[in-house]
Amino acid sequence: MRSKNRGRQNAFICMSHMQMTKINGVLSKESIVTHGVPQGSILGPLLFTLYVNDLPEHLTDGFISLYADDTALCASDDNPESLQLRLSNLMQTVSNWYLRNKLSINTDKMKLMLIGTPGSVTKMENVNITIDGIQLEKVRTFNYLGVKLDHHLTFKDHVAYVNGKTFSKIRLLGRLCRNLDWGMLMLLYKTLILPVFDYGDVIYHRMSKQDAESLQRLQNSACRAILKCDMYSPIDEMHDKLDISKLYQRRCQHIATRVHKFKNGNGPPDCRNMITEIQEIHDRTTRQTTGELLYIAPTCLKMCERDFAYCGPIIWNQIPLAIRKIGTTKEFKTEINKVVFA
């Protein structure tokens, strides 16, 4: 970096901002802020990410997920006492790291959620976590990065959220259809409604049949508003005319694209471990090992079938071999739109 650019960077980081504290209506003296970046800057999140990037290296147990300033700690165990101990040790390790790095934990925003089958969650109901003498609030639903997770991973709360958010926008689309042409209505659908359906759909893909049908009815209503059709219009004809895939097909396409990225090393390193090719398991050559098929791990729990590691291989194995062998993501996205998933 040239010296003049370095000077600009230093000036940006150490601008002469003043700060003061107000307690019981009394203001302290002003003092100059000698380090930091302005709130809302582009540089701020980058510097913060670099600052906390080594936190996972200090954990010897459990799993941590970092996204900017959102941190999720996970641990699993069959025994309530063991789970309590593992979570407590995990939180103590994180708390000590925060203290060493001059950061504070906001216990008001921290929540504890037990995830599992109804029987396992009931078994663990006495598990509680305390930080600095404050017991964390135990919740059954938590909004994590825009997806509402519930303690049984049924995603009913998230589907209800999507329903509510899209319903008002589809009603607005219906009112505007009298004054706008087909092209403008389609633009509004793709801008305001479709992103709500798409966000996180690879996570809540394996929702209940009833929830999936409720979302599909909303998309059908949007198609009727765009085409100005009545409620008796054939659904398949509307989607064909608009060249819009049904939501189930879109979710399968998104999952297949994500699997393709993971297989080709275009995703986070840990995500590659979520999928296993059959040729990695069998030491003999068969038609399955040469067809780039993925191994579907057997499970006896309905809850595990909602995992990406389970439904991803099922969807991937439905794709024709010629499309599975496509190397570039851009070409794969084009061809996957032609596949009809069962």
Side-chain angles (χ1 to χ4, degrees):
M1 182 181 293
R2 295 181 179 178
S3 59
K4 62 178 182 179
N5 291 335
R6 188 184 300 115
R8 291 175 182 175
Q9 185 185 32
N10 291 336
F12 176 71
I13 296 177
C14 302
M15 286 188 293
S16 298
H17 287 282
M18 306 297 292
Q19 68 177 2
M20 63 179 64
T21 302
K22 184 177 182 179
I23 300 177
N24 296 328
V26 180
L27 286 174
S28 65
K29 295 181 179 179
E30 291 185 346
S31 61
I32 300 176
V33 179
T34 58
H35 59 277
V37 294
Q39 186 175 359
S41 66
I42 298 176
L43 182 62
L46 175 61
L47 294 177
F48 182 82
T49 301
L50 293 174
Y51 192 74
V52 302
N53 198 43
D54 68 319
L55 174 57
E57 299 176 2
H58 295 265
L59 302 181
T60 58
D61 189 18
F63 171 78
I64 185 170
S65 175
L66 295 174
Y67 186 85
D69 60 345
D70 282 311
T71 304
L73 301 172
C74 306
S76 61
D77 206 291
D78 294 332
N79 183 273
E81 289 76 16
S82 299
L83 180 61
Q84 175 90 38
L85 180 61
R86 294 182 65 182
L87 286 173
S88 298
N89 292 337
L90 190 61
M91 286 304 308
Q92 189 60 50
T93 302
V94 173
S95 179
N96 292 338
W97 182 91
Y98 269 65
L99 290 175
R100 289 195 303 269
N101 289 272
K102 299 180 180 180
L103 296 173
S104 60
I105 297 179
N106 188 349
T107 54
D108 294 336
K109 292 185 177 181
M110 295 190 67
K111 309 295 179 185
L112 171 65
M113 184 167 71
L114 301 174
I115 299 177
T117 62
S120 62
V121 171
T122 302
K123 180 182 177 181
M124 303 288 180
E125 62 182 2
N126 292 327
V127 173
N128 291 289
I129 301 299
T130 302
I131 302 178
D132 298 331
I134 301 176
Q135 182 172 304
L136 299 185
E137 179 186 357
K138 192 182 297 183
V139 297
R140 293 180 176 268
T141 304
F142 186 76
N143 188 341
Y144 183 63
L145 300 179
V147 177
K148 292 185 178 295
L149 304 176
D150 60 270
H151 62 315
H152 296 322
L153 295 182
T154 62
F155 299 104
K156 287 186 176 296
D157 294 281
H158 185 74
V159 172
Y161 167 76
V162 173
N163 273 324
K165 195 168 184 178
T166 55
F167 179 75
S168 58
K169 296 179 179 180
I170 293 174
R171 288 189 61 184
L172 175 63
L173 202 67
R175 291 194 295 267
L176 293 175
C177 69
R178 304 183 185 90
N179 304 313
L180 299 179
D181 59 13
W182 175 88
M184 184 58 68
L185 292 172
M186 193 66 184
L187 178 62
L188 290 174
Y189 167 77
K190 291 183 177 181
T191 304
L192 300 177
I193 300 173
L194 191 58
V196 181
F197 285 134
D198 287 347
Y199 185 79
D201 60 354
V202 297
I203 300 174
Y204 69 88
H205 168 71
R206 295 296 290 242
M207 69 193 97
S208 67
K209 182 179 179 181
Q210 181 181 1
D211 289 337
E213 289 176 348
S214 68
L215 292 180
Q216 187 56 55
R217 284 194 295 268
L218 285 172
Q219 190 196 37
N220 296 341
S221 299
C223 292
R224 293 190 185 95
I226 296 172
L227 294 173
K228 304 174 184 179
C229 298
D230 57 43
M231 62 180 300
Y232 301 105
S233 301
I235 296 174
D236 292 336
E237 291 183 9
M238 290 191 303
H239 284 82
D240 291 341
K241 189 172 182 178
L242 294 173
D243 194 22
I244 294 177
S245 299
K246 291 185 178 180
L247 294 181
Y248 175 78
Q249 295 295 322
R250 286 188 65 85
R251 292 193 294 269
C252 290
Q253 293 165 5
H254 294 160
I255 291 176
T257 302
R258 199 59 61 101
V259 172
H260 180 271
K261 290 182 178 180
F262 294 167
K263 283 180 85 285
N264 291 277
N266 295 328
D270 293 341
C271 293
R272 180 60 180 86
N273 300 328
M274 300 175 66
I275 55 176
T276 305
E277 297 188 38
I278 292 181
Q279 62 185 7
E280 299 176 15
I281 298 177
H282 299 304
D283 55 359
R284 58 187 183 278
T285 302
T286 64
R287 283 180 295 179
Q288 288 185 327
T289 58
T290 58
E292 297 196 8
L293 295 175
L294 297 181
Y295 174 69
I296 303 175
T299 177
C300 58
L301 294 177
K302 194 72 175 178
M303 184 179 182
C304 294
E305 295 179 1
R306 305 187 185 106
D307 190 2
F308 179 88
Y310 179 84
C311 63
I314 293 179
I315 293 173
W316 177 262
N317 293 346
Q318 298 181 45
I319 304 173
L321 178 60
I323 299 179
R324 290 202 300 266
K325 288 188 173 182
I326 294 176
T328 63
T329 303
K330 182 178 181 180
E331 185 180 355
F332 181 84
K333 286 182 176 180
T334 302
E335 296 299 322
I336 197 65
N337 291 333
K338 305 174 183 178
V339 179
V340 178
F341 293 94

